[in-house]
Amino acid sequence: SQQGEEDPQALSIQEGENATMNCSYKTSINNLQWYRQNSGRGLVHLILIRSNEREKHSGRLRVTLDTSKKSSSLLITASRAADTASYFCATTGGGNKLTFGTGTQLKVEL
Amino acid sequence: DTAVSQTPKYLVTQMGNDKSIKCEQNLGHDTMYWYKQDSKKFLKIMFSYNNKELIINETVPNRFSPKSPDKAHLNLHINSLELGDSAVYFCASSSDLSRGAYNEQFFGPGTRLTVL
């Protein structure tokens, strides 16, 4: 069965606003990753957070991880039109296998 | 200088045909993957190879057969194509976990398969 559920399924915001996406998962993990997929393209790795980390930053991205609640959030600050894409969380229990969430479609309007 | 490339980008074919999708990575990675993304964008792993050896084989019909001639290539052959095989297929690669790497994966651009 699918590991991750993402919320919301779709999000529409104005340029300059912050976007927050949430991911919940079911089993214990080794790390959690976030990927972006632009329309008609492959996935691009954004950020990885290990199970012993609680927060991580990369540029305008901030990821949090709460292993007790089995959830993670991705915050994109000061969004731009170019951030319009689908965002997926993916978890792994330690091996090579990544289990992806259902994705959040983000639309940033000018 | 494309990192992970796939061919073809689009594939339209009739039910019952046999087709192949090719994937190549020039990142020096040891592990390669095939994923299927359906119309609802749900992405599911199908296979993974590490140094030409199969390490992940999800519940996939045996009409799908991956082949890895070397660690830089992982091809996907599909026999007797069915309507339900229509999807976007992504190839990906990552470093070997035994070398201390995390399994960040690098994806190809995808192959959109349409079975008529």
Side-chain angles (χ1 to χ4, degrees):
Chain A
S1 63
Q2 186 176 329
Q3 170 80 321
E5 298 285 336
E6 292 186 56
D7 168 59
Q9 284 189 312
L11 180 60
S12 183
I13 59 174
Q14 298 292 314
E15 201 172 46
E17 293 179 339
N18 296 341
T20 300
M21 290 158 260
N22 302 297
C23 167
S24 61
Y25 56 92
K26 296 176 183 174
T27 60
S28 61
I29 61 170
N30 178 275
N31 67 63
L32 184 144
Q33 302 175 36
W34 285 89
Y35 288 80
R36 185 187 73 229
Q37 184 180 30
N38 290 84
S39 181
R41 310 288 290 272
L43 280 77
V44 174
H45 180 266
L46 294 176
I47 195 167
L48 179 152
I49 186 166
R50 295 190 291 267
S51 60
N52 61 354
E53 297 177 311
R54 291 296 165 257
E55 187 171 314
K56 202 161 183 181
H57 297 254
S58 176
R60 293 184 297 113
L61 305 180
R62 173 177 168 252
V63 170
T64 62
L65 178 64
D66 187 337
T67 52
S68 67
K69 295 181 180 178
K70 293 187 169 57
S71 68
S72 174
S73 68
L74 171 68
L75 168 67
I76 304 174
T77 60
S79 63
R80 305 166 182 168
D83 295 328
T84 294
S86 293
Y87 292 81
F88 295 87
C89 66
T91 57
T92 179
N96 293 85
K97 180 180 172 182
L98 278 182
T99 303
F100 282 84
T102 49
T104 293
Q105 292 191 8
L106 173 65
K107 184 175 182 181
V108 181
E109 300 187 79
L110 295 169
Chain B
D1 60 348
T2 305
V4 183
S5 59
Q6 295 179 229
T7 54
K9 189 168 174 61
Y10 299 97
L11 186 53
V12 181
T13 188
Q14 297 288 327
M15 252 191 337
N17 284 350
D18 303 337
K19 290 294 178 185
S20 292
I21 307 171
K22 295 186 176 182
C23 177
E24 175 180 3
Q25 54 93 6
N26 63 6
L27 298 168
H29 287 161
D30 300 290
T31 309
M32 296 183 72
Y33 311 80
W34 277 110
Y35 288 88
K36 178 180 180 180
Q37 187 174 45
D38 63 21
S39 58
K40 295 183 179 178
K41 292 201 166 185
F42 176 44
L43 195 70
K44 186 170 169 54
I45 190 166
M46 301 172 68
F47 302 103
S48 177
Y49 270 72
N50 181 272
N51 276 318
K52 302 193 295 176
E53 285 193 35
L54 182 67
I55 57 171
I56 296 174
N57 184 352
E58 293 294 290
T59 309
V60 177
N62 57 16
R63 298 182 295 103
F64 290 79
S65 53
K67 284 187 173 54
S68 183
D70 55 63
K71 74 173 193 176
H73 296 83
L74 181 61
N75 303 323
L76 183 65
H77 189 76
I78 315 170
N79 289 329
S80 304
L81 278 155
E82 300 177 357
L83 294 176
D85 297 332
S86 294
V88 182
Y89 292 84
F90 287 98
C91 176
S93 71
S94 68
S95 295
D96 192 335
L97 296 182
S98 68
R99 299 186 187 181
Y102 289 98
N103 56 342
E104 302 167 31
Q105 296 184 14
F106 293 77
F107 282 76
T111 295
R112 182 174 292 276
L113 171 65
T114 303
V115 182
L116 303 174

